[in-house]
Amino acid sequence: MLRRLFAPTTVALLSGGLWLAPLRAGESNKSVPAVAAKPDGMEMHTEDLRPFTHLAYLPAGADPGTIRFEKMKLVKVATRVKYTMDSNYCKQLAFRDPGGSIACPSAETEASAPAYEVTYSVTGQPLASDEHASPDFTFSVYFRPDELAADMQRALAGGKLSRADRTAYFAVNTYRESVRRVAIDERKSHFCEGDFVDGAWTHTDPGCKDDVSFTTVTAPSGYITVNVEPASPKRERAEMLSAK
């Protein structure tokens, strides 16, 4: 059974389980929200979404070599969402039922746009929460109708093309960015000797204090970026299709 990954947009639908690829600093697909607060505790804000980035983020454990075209369909995607929250109610709900506060705030689509949803499958590490331990997942990217040539839309919507023919209409590229992170500088840090006592780290010398220094390092991102763009099929393939 295929599990659904998040594309870098909050409008992705879920199918089965989920690989959560959260947005990271510098990779936000949303504008800064406008927030309005009222004396009665009601808060409202809107966010403009960017569903047409043609990007998806896969966990580093995914195998890019297994990315495979699955399907394309015409859908509607949210381009602006309004969030409404009664802060007083949500605080009370959190105390009464922590799990029940997930719906705070409530979300409502304010604007949407037609889009072609292109879905791919990929193999990766199973989710720890998946009792079936399935390694198969899907993710999607979205295109505005005017981003795809008219003849391309007709060919893909016809339903008569093979998977190879459909795959040829899109170019898929993957890369893993380097990110800067704060890490402990082992050479400049000093740690007191000690041991675990009743589950807690205890210094052998109670008067000793750890001296920790930090540094900035460059390391591979925890996510693989997938970029999908329209591509013109090879002339030979087009001639072959026209002869069918």
Side-chain angles (χ1 to χ4, degrees):
M1 180 179 181
L2 296 177
R3 303 297 199 258
R4 184 65 175 253
L5 294 169
F6 265 133
T9 169
T10 58
V11 299
L13 300 177
L14 301 184
S15 173
L18 166 69
W19 248 354
L20 180 59
L23 296 173
R24 307 182 298 287
E27 296 178 348
S28 175
N29 70 312
K30 298 176 289 186
S31 64
V32 176
V35 181
K38 296 183 178 180
D40 60 2
M42 292 295 295
E43 297 179 6
M44 293 182 293
H45 72 270
T46 59
E47 290 185 358
D48 290 322
L49 308 180
R50 293 177 54 209
F52 301 109
T53 61
H54 308 170
L55 299 176
Y57 298 107
L58 311 181
D63 181 0
T66 64
I67 294 176
R68 185 182 183 189
F69 180 93
E70 291 293 334
K71 60 183 177 180
M72 186 186 85
K73 64 179 179 180
L74 188 61
V75 299
K76 276 197 172 183
V77 293
T79 55
R80 186 169 64 250
V81 176
K82 179 177 72 174
Y83 296 96
T84 304
M85 181 175 72
D86 183 336
S87 57
N88 296 326
Y89 172 76
C90 289
K91 288 178 182 178
Q92 295 174 7
L93 185 62
F95 281 108
R96 293 198 306 267
D97 181 10
S101 62
I102 294 176
C104 287
S106 61
E108 178 184 355
T109 298
E110 275 207 330
S112 61
Y116 278 103
E117 179 187 67
V118 181
T119 301
Y120 289 83
S121 60
V122 66
T123 300
Q125 296 295 326
L127 292 172
S129 59
D130 183 6
E131 61 180 3
H132 300 292
S134 174
D136 301 318
F137 301 85
T138 64
F139 65 90
S140 297
V141 293
Y142 298 87
F143 295 89
R144 296 183 182 89
D146 60 8
E147 292 182 300
L148 305 182
D151 58 341
M152 180 179 178
Q153 294 182 40
R154 288 193 296 269
L156 290 169
K160 296 181 180 180
L161 300 181
S162 67
R163 185 192 299 271
D165 292 332
R166 289 171 178 265
T167 299
Y169 278 102
F170 297 96
V172 178
N173 293 295
T174 63
Y175 55 93
R176 192 173 176 186
E177 298 178 336
S178 294
V179 295
R180 295 177 66 82
R181 295 173 177 163
V182 175
I184 295 176
D185 190 332
E186 299 287 351
R187 294 180 299 176
K188 296 182 179 180
S189 299
H190 169 71
F191 299 96
C192 302
E193 294 184 356
D195 202 354
F196 284 101
V197 178
D198 296 329
W201 180 257
T202 304
H203 291 165
T204 303
D205 179 2
C208 182
K209 293 185 178 180
D210 294 325
D211 182 10
V212 183
S213 295
F214 297 91
T215 186
T216 301
V217 299
T218 301
S221 169
Y223 296 90
I224 298 170
T225 302
V226 182
N227 178 221
V228 182
E229 297 293 346
S232 298
K234 295 181 179 180
R235 180 182 300 273
E236 294 82 3
R237 187 178 300 279
E239 292 176 349
M240 179 184 67
L241 290 176
S242 62
K244 290 183 178 181

